[in-house]
Amino acid sequence: MYPTELVKGVYWVGAIDYDIRNFHGYSYSTHNGTTYNAYLIVDEKIALVDAVMGPFAEEMFARISKIVDPLRIDYMISNHTEMDHSGAVPEVLRRVPKAKLICTAKAVDQLKKHYQNGWNIQTVKTGDEISLGKKTLRFYEAPMLHWPETMFTYYVEEEVLLPNDAFGQHYATADRFADQVDQYVLWREAEKYYANILWPLSRMVQRKIEEVIELGLPIKIIAPSHGLIWRENPLEIVTRYLSWAKGERTKDKVVIVWDTMWGSTTKLAHVIGEGVHSAGLEPVLRLIPHGDRADIMADLLDAKGILVGCSTMHNDILPTAAPIVSDFEMLKPAGKKCATFGSYGWAGGAIKKIQESMEKGNMDIVMEPFTVKWVPTEEELKKAYEFGKEFAEKVK
Ligand code: FEO
């Protein structure tokens, strides 16, 4: 259990959770595990910036003990109260009662309600600073990135930004820096993280990033609370966040997701995919029960558009398609261009339900649904091909 030094006096002392496969109560699949990043900043005084999830407290203390006696910690900085970061805070303050807890005013109630404790708390707001001796910590409130109480900590002299959940990824590895790992997995996990946690907060994300850019803070390292630390070209992740927040559709692909009862909607999906391809866009085909809703939302993040297909059962969507439809309403991929397709027997309720969810998610329905009764004929398959092609042309 060893720490990793980021820059002089700043250490990663977090925990690696290789085994977790579901986050947020099964709402987010974590195929690559995650890390809970805590950072120890050692100057004349010592600050611990964020903690780890409760069960990982010993791992964090073991890493801290390789640097200093944990009893020397002066400040416990809580950027965010969600329990994957604050879970070990009670244990830190139990072992080190002299440590002062630093957080935003909004975090106080949340911490009290979570842990029912009468700690020595100092609240901070944007621009407030704490001197650690030779060097300084400065705080920036970042409400709704992604909870109301969230803040960023900035280590001024070393130009290290500690933004908690922002810019993170659920990716457990023995490496600590983004430039050391498989770049495909890294960026895929960063996209999935944005799509599933920050997408509905995009307006706030854009505003906060533009605010930080206007401040002109020099940033050498971005050290988030999950996954890898950005030290080579750290602003690349910031640029991508801005692009995702603005809803830029940078990848030449169309996501096609569907489920089917007896294969008719699958036939449509495949031919529609060929139509999309004929117009020069990559069709990304995902049969819903074979995949996972969190992955599909990651696929969608910077796609040109999405086509959703479903057969109708009891005048409604198939139950397997329900998570996707609910994600449209919850994650609000605003402005994403979309349309629907599917087969039905005697009523087409599935399409109506999907379109209602697309509207609630502020998505942009650009074409009338393409539907067939029972099994598609050759003629209808030709029309499905044209439907895919026309959709691709519209969203290019
Ligand atoms: Fe990683 Fe919002 O907790």
Side-chain angles (χ1 to χ4, degrees), residues 360-392:
K360 284 182 187 163
N362 303 321
M363 297 168 72
D364 182 9
I365 302 173
V366 296
M367 284 175 71
E368 288 298 312
F370 181 81
T371 58
V372 300
K373 198 166 184 179
W374 304 118
V375 177
T377 62
E378 273 307 310
E379 190 54 35
E380 285 168 328
L381 288 173
K382 276 186 201 152
K383 285 183 182 163
Y385 179 92
E386 292 303 322
F387 172 78
K389 187 174 176 184
E390 190 184 336
F391 180 81

Side-chain angles (χ1 to χ4, degrees), residues 23-24 36 80-85 145-147 150 164-165 170 193 197 225-226:
F23 213 78
H24 284 152
Y36 313 105
H80 175 36
T81 64
E82 196 161 8
M83 292 160 100
D84 50 332
H85 310 293
L145 261 75
H146 67 123
W147 276 17
T150 311
N164 195 268
D165 276 334
H170 287 308
Y193 190 95
I197 295 177
S225 61
H226 294 291

